[in-house]
Amino acid sequence: MFHQVFLDYSFNSLEPYIDTLTMETHYLKHHATYTKNFNEIVKKIPAFHDKSAEYILSHIGEAPPELREGLRNQGGGYLAHNLYFSSLSPHDGGIPEGMLASKINEDFGSFDEMKKQLSAAANTVFGSGYAWLVLDGDGHIVVEKTANQDLPIMAGNPNMLLPIDVWEHAYYLKHKNLRADYVEAVFNVIDWNKVAERLEVAIRL
Ligand code: MN
């Protein structure tokens, strides 16, 4: 049984960067639905009953063919939102520190250059999807984008450090069609400590 990640902040605490109604709708409706649907599909696949979401999403090909699309969309939605919501914090994360900061400087030249590339990726996902920071197979932090509820782990990269959700449901109530305004705003509530923890785990693997 998969559960939505526990939020250690309240729905209104990301104001004015992410508005309360968007947070409530996003977590209580969209994410709750992906979670419920993912659980229902996994229930039909005994081989996945004791497996993690990460395992399942990197072994979709082992599921019965008629359930694969559902796993990809609902499971992808489940895990991507757990990562997204747990990457946010009202305690202005500011900018990365320590090893994460060094790694970003090494791989992008500066925090500002990484922000520029990640924002550009987020702003150019056509339709719905995500922009990501991932640790690639060579040990570099790189920017990626995925469509719909596809995740880097489905393409073989489990080292997902940070997703930026650019589905319209993530910003439309406040920013309407202005996705770039949302992307700029979201940088004010990214919890870089969480990203740093994921980087440490990824490097140890
Ligand atoms: Mn979303």
Side-chain angles (χ1 to χ4, degrees):
M1 181 83 176
F2 294 99
H3 298 280
Q4 287 178 266
V5 69
F6 172 77
L7 301 188
D8 57 5
Y9 54 84
S10 57
F11 292 128
N12 64 4
S13 63
L14 305 181
E15 295 269 8
Y17 305 111
I18 303 182
D19 61 288
T20 308
L21 184 59
T22 294
M23 283 301 297
E24 282 174 359
T25 313
H26 202 174
Y27 184 84
L28 296 174
K29 308 286 187 190
H30 293 279
H31 190 200
T33 303
Y34 290 123
T35 305
K36 178 174 168 284
N37 292 344
F38 181 44
N39 278 316
E40 281 170 11
I41 299 168
V42 172
K43 219 181 285 175
K44 297 176 187 164
I45 311 170
F48 285 170
H49 284 184
D50 60 344
K51 297 294 195 288
S52 66
E54 287 81 358
Y55 178 93
I56 293 170
L57 295 182
S58 52
H59 295 80
I60 289 177
E62 295 173 11
E66 69 278 13
L67 298 178
R68 290 177 195 167
E69 185 182 355
L71 278 180
R72 189 168 155 188
N73 292 333
Q74 308 299 333
Y78 165 74
L79 184 59
H81 286 93
N82 267 4
L83 289 168
Y84 173 73
F85 287 122
S86 61
S87 299
L88 303 178
S89 165
H91 310 293
D92 180 353
I95 57 168
E97 294 170 358
M99 182 179 69
L100 176 61
S102 319
K103 195 83 187 81
I104 286 172
N105 289 337
E106 200 180 302
D107 292 333
F108 293 92
S110 67
F111 174 79
D112 287 344
E113 179 59 26
M114 179 279 290
K115 181 180 172 186
K116 196 171 127 192
Q117 290 185 29
L118 182 58
S119 301
N123 290 332
T124 56
V125 171
F126 187 74
S128 298
Y130 297 84
W132 300 84
L133 285 182
V134 300
L135 188 72
D136 74 7
D138 297 324
H140 297 297
I141 299 180
V142 295
V143 168
E144 279 188 15
K145 36 185 185 178
T146 57
N148 303 311
Q149 297 295 0
D150 288 351
L151 277 66
I153 196 170
M154 296 174 189
N157 187 350
N159 299 319
M160 301 174 288
L161 306 178
L162 172 70
I164 296 183
D165 186 343
V166 295
W167 280 62
E168 283 186 343
H169 66 228
Y171 62 88
Y172 204 84
L173 293 174
K174 180 179 172 75
H175 297 286
K176 301 296 182 282
N177 58 315
L178 303 177
R179 184 192 288 179
D181 287 2
Y182 153 75
V183 171
E184 182 63 31
V186 86
F187 272 90
N188 292 287
V189 289
I190 290 174
D191 186 346
W192 292 106
N193 293 324
K194 288 279 172 50
V195 181
E197 283 168 21
R198 291 179 193 138
L199 176 65
E200 280 178 29
V201 171
I203 282 176
R204 276 204 299 271
L205 288 176

